Amino acid sequence: MKQKRVVLINPNTESHRTAEETLGIGYLAKILRQSNYVVNIIDSWLEKLNPSEIISRIANDSVPLVIGFSCYHSNLKQS
């Protein structure tokens, strides 16, 4: 049986704040994993990834069923 794969992305942001984990992505990942999804979190804010590096990470993995973004005002452009 093919695995159900999901990629959750927190885009890098232009902010005066220091990088921090996004709890919403963590909570969603936990629920999806409990429902037998394979979840990959790409936190480009913490890892300081640019859009090309995010795309490379997605391309190097199996084709996901869903790609989700954590979008808010300070990272809307990057999203």
Side-chain angles (χ1 to χ4, degrees):
M1 182 193 326
K2 189 171 180 170
Q3 291 182 320
K4 301 179 289 187
R5 304 185 74 76
V6 175
V7 176
L8 301 175
I9 302 167
N10 184 31
N12 207 341
T13 185
E14 296 173 6
S15 174
H16 65 282
R17 297 175 21 218
T18 56
E20 56 196 41
E21 290 181 287
T22 304
L23 287 177
I25 285 179
Y27 292 144
L28 182 56
K30 179 181 169 99
I31 297 299
L32 288 168
R33 288 174 178 144
Q34 289 175 339
S35 299
N36 298 316
Y37 286 82
V38 175
V39 181
N40 182 16
I41 297 173
I42 300 173
D43 197 326
S44 64
W45 193 16
L46 287 175
E47 298 181 56
K48 298 180 180 19
L49 302 174
N50 64 44
S52 296
E53 292 169 318
I54 295 169
I55 291 168
S56 292
R57 288 240 187 129
I58 295 168
N60 288 334
D61 203 356
S62 298
V63 177
L65 178 64
V66 174
I67 299 174
F69 288 88
S70 177
C71 298
Y72 40 93
H73 185 68
S74 60
N75 75 357
L76 194 56
K77 179 180 174 186
Q78 292 83 348
S79 299

